[in-house]
Amino acid sequence: MRWEPIGKPDEVRASANMPDYDRVRREFDWAEARSQLSGLPGSRGLNIAYEAVDRHAAGERAQVTALRCVDKQDHVTEISYAALREWTNRFANVLGGHGVGRGERVYTLLGRVPELYIAALGTLKAGCVLSPLFSAFGPQPIADRLRIGQGAVLVTTPRLYRNKIEQIRAGLPQLRHVLVVGDSDAGPGTIDLREALAHADTEFEIPPTSPEDWALLHFTSGTTGSPKGAVHVHDAVVAHHATARYALDLRPDDVFWCTADPGWVTGTSYGIIAPLTHGATVVSDEGEFDARRWYRVLAEQRVSVWYTAPTALRMLMRHSPELAAAYDLSGLRYVASVGEPLNPEVVVWGQEALGRPVHDNWWQTETGAIMISNFPAEEIRPGSMGRPVPGIEAGLLERGEDGRALVEHGTVRELTGDDVEGELALRPGWPSMFRGYLHDDDRYAVSFAGGWYLTGDIAARDADGYFWFVGRADDVIKSAGHLVGPFEVESALMEHPAVAEAGVIGKPDPVAGELVKAFVALRPGHTPSDELRSELLAFGRRRLGAVAPKELAFDDDLPHTRSGKVMRRLLRSRELGLAEGDLSTLEHAG
Ligand code: AMP
């Protein structure tokens, strides 16, 4: 069943940054979008941090609040664009003072504290590559990612250092400096960042930066193998800026709150860069999700544009509408969501509880910026991800037996016509497109075929060009908006002496979308028990942190393909009580 479209009032349509989607789409070109930015003075290139900070600090917006950080105790720190310029200069000088050179990787493992923004933007000023990590990761995923990216610097807190880094540091010889944010002494081999910043020079000249210089390294997961480091360049800022203008309707006088975790791509592209390039005020909240707290932040900070995620909205929806009504949300002008399928009920609930419908949009780590979106002046079709942003061509490709786009002799077949379903693909060439997977040219190469970038998602398109998410074409799991690679989880479980083999799937969950469930075959001499189940779950949590399985079942007859891989698809079908589908590749078949 499709829900009634939600139209927009005339005054909203008229005042939107993009009042006419079809016209802007027709006339759009990336060179014009690039001209909305300043470029480094003296034609010295394009640097994300200059566009986000320094150009405002040099102009009329110097004293406007760039960052308003609410801490766990509700204390608010405000930083103007002029002050942010100085803080980020100081950070760049701290890096230089410690001999950290251009192109080296600086990782952050931080919550939403002011130093997160200072470190991220200071890193980009220095010409280093920023790689943000999810602070709820356990030691193992952190170590793997630091190793793959050859992290030279890590910025973290004393608590995270003690709990997660100390135990892995000896195995990371390339990690030369750990900068810690906090009052207590984190111990030998660490540098107190606040003290270092206090003593650093406030002036720094951003070196010439080519738009193609590496800027960001975001880790993502595939079905197999180690995590993939997707590389983005400084030119990505052109897409961050343009998409925030069209898909988030962002303006300089907005107060913008992006709730994404700083460790995921959204936390950087839209939690830091895009709103600052517009000279807006970024609100951040260090606290964890809590319905009352979030409504309070929306109301007290007078948030006007809110970018959040389906899981959070579903958690808000569990409370009565009176809760939302108790807060003054009249400042809220625009609400958008990303990261996982947004059920139509949530879009409609937004209209009722927040007074604004929720605009779903779609993108992924590799695309660097929003690709498909519902727009401010266009009707929303609840349940649909919307239409491609100006400058983006999206298509659907015919799929083969393995569920992915059918590639024959390097060519693919685009599905035209109405109401078709296939693998979602994008025409390469937009500025924030990833430029590679670090040390993994093969995996990068197979992401493209027939002139398309293949997204790994299956989608449908209706007669009016709206895209509808159908599912993933592979086995990766989306839990509470976080992409989880089953292989990484299986590998961690198999390090337990009782585990012979593991198969990990996403099990549908009404709030988190999916939760991670593991099926485990035991080694001889071990027998299933509740104690062993608890032990394995705890083992997973200790190593993996938030991406560990929440459920675990013993299964001494895991299904395998003829090539010996655990058939996750079949585990999932069995879990859901679905037809088992085509089993021709199952080892016991035929
Ligand atoms: P990530 O690279 O972690 O940002 O995850 C990207 C994946 O999240 C996409 O390939 C989709 O599978 C999923 N995703 C992102 N946005 C949406 C959305 N609006 N609707 C459905 N799935 C989404």
Side-chain angles (χ1 to χ4, degrees):
M1 178 194 104
R2 288 200 171 161
W3 295 55
E4 281 298 306
I6 299 177
K8 302 292 176 58
D10 287 345
E11 65 278 13
V12 169
R13 300 177 54 134
S15 66
N17 285 347
M18 182 169 60
D20 182 347
Y21 171 77
D22 292 314
R23 185 179 59 74
V24 173
R25 198 170 158 67
R26 240 184 354 260
E27 295 173 0
F28 183 89
D29 88 276
W30 286 110
E32 198 279 330
R34 196 169 282 108
S35 73
Q36 303 284 319
L37 299 171
S38 307
L40 281 172
S43 306
R44 289 181 307 120
L46 182 70
N47 185 293
I48 294 176
Y50 184 85
E51 303 304 328
V53 185
D54 290 22
R55 70 171 180 144
H56 304 303
E60 284 170 6
R61 305 195 71 71
Q63 296 312 321
V64 169
T65 302
L67 279 179
R68 208 186 285 154
C69 300
V70 183
D71 76 7
K72 285 184 183 148
Q73 289 76 39
D74 289 350
H75 176 258
V76 177
T77 303
E78 298 218 3
I79 302 179
S80 68
Y81 277 95
L84 189 57
R85 175 183 160 277
E86 291 196 354
W87 282 116
T88 49
N89 283 350
R90 285 171 191 260
F91 189 88
N93 284 322
V94 168
L95 291 180
H98 284 89
V100 181
R102 297 189 63 178
E104 291 205 83
R105 264 67 99 175
V106 177
Y107 283 64
T108 53
L109 182 74
L110 288 171
R112 296 176 194 84
V113 292
E115 286 81 359
L116 167 77
Y117 303 86
I118 292 167
L121 294 159
T123 295
L124 295 170
K125 277 190 169 179
C128 297
V129 179
L130 170 71
S131 187
L133 293 176
F134 181 34
S135 56
F137 272 146
Q140 191 158 319
I142 294 172
D144 290 342
R145 286 158 177 77
L146 277 164
R147 204 170 292 122
I148 296 169
Q150 291 143 322
V153 179
L154 174 70
V155 190
T156 189
T157 65
R159 186 181 59 83
L160 291 169
Y161 183 74
R162 270 192 304 274
N163 293 347
K164 306 188 181 190
I165 307 302
E166 234 166 22
Q167 57 186 291
I168 56 174
R169 192 158 177 193
L172 299 167
Q174 80 291 347
L175 181 61
R176 303 203 301 280
H177 305 290
V178 178
L179 307 175
V180 292
V181 181
D183 300 327
S184 64
D185 179 11
T190 64
I191 297 164
D192 181 334
L193 178 62
R194 287 188 181 147
E195 201 179 298
L197 288 174
H199 292 106
D201 196 335
T202 55
E203 289 308 312
F204 177 83
E205 185 174 281
I206 300 178
T209 312
S210 156
E212 288 299 313
D213 280 354
W214 289 14
L216 307 167
L217 175 65
H218 287 297
F219 283 91
T220 184
S221 302
T223 305
T224 56
S226 50
K228 303 185 275 188
V231 173
H232 292 277
V233 297
H234 280 271
D235 206 37
V237 67
V238 177
H240 299 147
H241 183 81
T243 52
R245 175 173 164 202
Y246 293 133
L248 302 178
D249 206 33
L250 204 67
R251 304 163 200 177
D253 55 1
D254 273 315
V255 176
F256 178 76
W257 185 24
C258 169
T259 61
D261 189 278
W264 301 96
V265 67
T266 312
T268 304
S269 295
Y270 297 95
I272 304 178
I273 300 170
L276 295 177
T277 64
H278 282 269
T281 295
V282 170
V283 166
S284 82
D285 177 23
E286 193 191 1
E288 293 302 320
F289 174 85
D290 170 83
R292 285 175 183 77
R293 183 177 178 95
W294 276 32
Y295 282 132
R296 205 174 67 228
V297 171
L298 285 172
E300 284 178 2
Q301 303 303 329
R302 301 291 298 165
V303 172
S304 55
V305 178
W306 190 32
Y307 195 23
T308 188
T311 296
L313 292 166
R314 286 191 289 263
M315 293 201 289
L316 289 178
M317 249 175 100
R318 295 162 100 189
H319 295 266
S320 76
E322 284 82 57
L323 184 64
Y327 296 83
D328 176 7
L329 304 180
S330 58
L332 200 56
R333 184 168 68 71
Y334 193 74
V335 181
S337 159
V338 71
E340 32 168 341
L342 183 71
N343 26 332
E345 294 85 347
V346 184
V347 180
V348 174
W349 167 87
Q351 183 85 57
E352 285 158 11
L354 308 171
R356 303 278 171 254
V358 183
H359 296 76
D360 187 18
N361 58 55
W362 177 97
W363 58 290
Q364 43 179 213
T365 303
E366 287 84 347
T367 72
I370 300 168
M371 296 284 110
I372 294 177
S373 183
N374 287 278
F375 297 101
E378 307 297 314
E379 74 174 26
I380 295 181
R381 302 195 172 171
S384 159
M385 310 189 288
R387 291 184 283 176
V389 300
I392 298 300
E393 187 189 342
L396 296 173
L397 307 181
E398 187 185 332
R399 297 160 64 210
E401 266 179 19
D402 66 352
R404 299 291 312 260
L406 183 64
V407 185
E408 278 172 338
H409 312 296
T411 62
V412 292
R413 209 159 318 138
E414 186 183 358
L415 301 167
T416 50
D418 300 344
D419 294 311
V420 286
E421 182 183 306
E423 179 167 349
L424 180 61
L426 304 164
R427 285 273 185 220
W430 67 95
S432 65
M433 191 182 89
F434 73 134
R435 299 297 196 267
Y437 290 125
L438 201 62
H439 316 308
D440 209 341
D441 293 345
D442 291 349
R443 284 214 271 188
Y444 182 68
V446 297
S447 307
F448 298 86
W452 293 94
Y453 161 64
L454 312 176
T455 70
D457 281 0
I458 306 163
R461 186 181 52 219
D462 67 21
D464 300 313
Y466 283 75
F467 283 82
W468 302 72
F469 184 78
V470 175
R472 287 286 309 185
D474 57 19
D475 290 334
V476 296
I477 300 162
K478 258 280 155 135
S479 184
H482 298 155
L483 200 73
V484 181
F487 181 77
E488 191 169 16
V489 180
E490 290 159 1
S491 309
L493 288 174
M494 283 166 65
E495 285 178 26
H496 190 283
V499 177
E501 198 172 24
V504 166
I505 63 159
K507 173 179 169 179
D509 178 84
V511 176
E514 290 183 312
L515 61 80
V516 179
K517 175 158 187 174
F519 294 85
V520 163
L522 295 176
R523 284 184 189 279
H526 297 271
T527 40
S529 69
D530 287 344
E531 290 73 43
L532 185 55
R533 180 182 296 108
S534 307
E535 184 184 321
L536 292 177
L537 288 171
F539 179 82
R541 269 196 307 278
R542 269 199 310 282
R543 305 216 150 197
L544 297 166
V547 295
K550 300 275 183 300
E551 284 186 17
L552 186 142
F554 297 106
D555 184 341
D556 59 10
D557 192 20
L558 289 173
H560 292 95
T561 63
R562 287 209 179 98
S563 60
K565 291 187 202 145
V566 174
M567 269 188 118
R568 303 182 187 115
R569 192 166 50 90
L570 186 55
L571 287 172
R572 195 172 142 90
S573 304
R574 285 181 183 165
E575 175 71 24
L576 301 182
L578 300 174
E580 299 197 346
D582 176 14
L583 303 183
S584 55
T585 54
L586 188 65
E587 65 176 348
H588 299 312

